[in-house]
Amino acid sequence: MTDHDTDDQLEDIALEALPLDAWHRARGARMVPFAGYEMPIQYEGIVAEHNWTRESAGLFDVSHMGQLLLSGPDLDAAVEAVLPIDLSTLKVGQQRYSLLLDEEGGVLDDLMVSRWPEALYLVVNGATKWDDIGTLREALPDDITLNHLDEQALIALQGPKAVDALARHVPGVEALTFMKFSPFKLAGHDVTIARAGYTGEDGFEISLPAAAAAEIADLLCGEPEVKPIGLGARDSLRLEAGLPLYGHDLSPETSPIEAGLLFGINKRRRTEGGFPGAERINREIAEGTARKWVGLCLEGRLPAREGAEVFAGDQKIGTVTSGGFSPTLGAPIAMAYVASEYAANGTALEVEVRGKRLAATVSSTPFVPHRYFRGS
């Protein structure tokens, strides 16, 4: 899942506190405004937390994200009129990536959809959840019930040893494979656990009662493999994994085809249409787009941040949407929209950083291979 910070927009908005707010502060977290909440950006340092997650297991608080439950008659048809998802192939216990689009095919949000018995469970970005709720309420029929599960917290346990730590408290959780979920008991509480996340690592997302969040966070961080990890490392991990961040890499000004998210529009839906923006989406599938989202590997050690301009010779041909220094690769990496004729892997370009042109090469993503558990 994705999200976007809106620090400049939040100066005059009262920030909300996460269920784990006091828990984070007691562990020395540096708290910052993010998506309308005060959230931990780091504890012991972004690079150390990044590397710990790659090697062991990190606990992330993502309770700012919206958890929505939809139910009612003819639910699948109602939701398919809003999202470009094929619900006929989504079985109970499975989840899938999808997109909330406007009528022009711009991305309003990206989200996860899970099939619960008699209901669909959606996880949406924190900064967009109220707009998403408004869009869904307006678009769905009146007899579809939308419940905002705001009494639930959401934590993510990510990393190659996450399964070892979690299975000690949740027997059977190791049988889940990527993008599958199930209800479990954890410390006596009813929780829903999905084998998913947004770091590129194997791991789990745990929806749990907010009142039990501190108890369960303590329990998991009591395991030798687990440390609390902040937003800073979450961002560098998802960048290495080549995953888009809403508000940076995705926005109403971008289409899913430009962003390489064709997989988020299921094949039957591309054929049948009937979702917002279908005309533009199908036209871009057939004719291509003027720009594409690509990975960039930069020479040197200076990172290119969002907004840096990309050049081919003297011609500006794109803009960086996410960038930073990769702790795993020991080099700067970035993602950018560039004119389609310059989007082929291996194309030599330049990125302007602090007034200097840095050599960059178009690269396939992910920069660091995903390690999702798809079964043995």
Side-chain angles (χ1 to χ4, degrees), residues 38-368:
E38 287 192 274
M39 298 194 64
I41 191 168
Q42 61 176 313
Y43 297 84
E44 60 179 301
I46 291 174
V47 173
E49 292 168 29
H50 178 111
N51 291 334
W52 180 268
T53 304
R54 284 271 182 250
E55 296 164 3
S56 192
L59 183 75
F60 299 79
D61 184 357
V62 288
S63 298
H64 64 300
M65 302 183 82
Q67 301 181 66
L68 313 178
L69 196 65
L70 306 181
S71 60
D74 300 320
L75 179 62
D76 284 14
V79 172
E80 284 194 353
V82 183
L83 304 179
I85 190 171
D86 181 358
L87 290 170
S88 69
T89 59
L90 187 69
K91 300 177 182 177
V92 172
Q94 295 180 337
Q95 68 174 192
R96 186 172 296 162
Y97 180 85
S98 191
L99 296 151
L100 186 61
L101 304 172
D102 64 22
E103 292 296 332
E104 286 72 44
V107 180
L108 297 175
D109 199 4
D110 61 344
L111 64 156
M112 300 300 298
V113 181
S114 301
R115 172 80 75 184
W116 285 20
E118 310 300 329
L120 293 169
Y121 166 76
L122 277 56
V123 178
V124 303
N125 282 302
T128 56
K129 64 184 174 187
W130 296 112
D131 287 340
D132 290 358
I133 289 171
T135 299
L136 290 167
R137 285 200 188 280
E138 184 174 349
L140 292 170
D142 292 342
D143 53 1
I144 298 297
T145 300
L146 189 161
N147 286 319
H148 179 201
L149 306 180
D150 54 0
E151 298 298 320
Q152 290 289 106
L154 189 67
I155 57 177
L157 188 64
Q158 300 283 291
K161 298 180 183 177
V163 64
D164 301 324
L166 188 58
R168 292 187 199 112
H169 301 283
V170 187
V173 77
E174 65 275 12
L176 288 176
T177 55
F178 184 57
M179 299 293 272
K180 303 292 195 312
F181 74 92
S182 182
F184 290 96
K185 287 283 188 181
L186 175 52
H189 301 284
D190 291 321
V191 301
T192 300
I193 301 177
R195 199 153 192 168
Y198 218 65
T199 61
E201 291 291 336
D202 181 28
F204 303 88
E205 291 186 344
I206 305 168
S207 175
L208 67 165
E215 175 190 356
I216 290 176
D218 273 341
L219 185 72
L220 295 175
C221 286
E223 296 299 327
E225 299 93 343
V226 182
K227 289 183 178 181
I229 306 295
L231 285 174
R234 181 170 178 254
D235 190 51
S236 56
L237 288 159
R238 73 93 196 165
L239 178 61
E240 289 184 347
L243 300 171
L245 185 65
Y246 191 83
H248 298 257
D249 309 292
L250 301 175
S251 74
E253 285 70 48
T254 60
S255 82
I257 309 306
E258 292 175 322
L261 299 177
L262 181 60
F263 69 91
I265 304 167
N266 298 130
K267 186 175 180 180
R268 176 175 69 81
R269 305 307 311 284
R270 297 175 215 162
T271 302
E272 298 179 358
F275 57 87
E279 183 178 351
R280 174 186 178 182
I281 301 295
N282 285 328
R283 184 178 67 251
E284 291 186 348
I285 291 172
E287 301 175 2
T289 57
R291 61 175 190 161
K292 292 182 178 178
W293 194 55
V294 300
L296 295 173
C297 291
L298 282 72
E299 294 185 7
R301 297 183 67 80
L302 197 62
R305 303 297 184 186
E306 180 183 2
E309 296 181 337
V310 183
F311 290 85
D314 292 332
Q315 183 182 2
K316 179 190 170 185
I317 54 92
T319 305
V320 169
T321 52
S322 290
F325 193 84
S326 163
T328 304
L329 301 176
I333 56 176
M335 294 186 285
Y337 285 99
V338 301
S340 294
E341 57 265 40
Y342 299 99
N345 287 343
T347 302
L349 300 172
E350 291 182 319
V351 180
E352 188 166 292
V353 180
R354 299 181 186 174
K356 297 181 179 179
R357 294 282 184 89
L358 306 179
T361 303
V362 176
S363 169
S364 60
T365 56
F367 299 100
V368 174

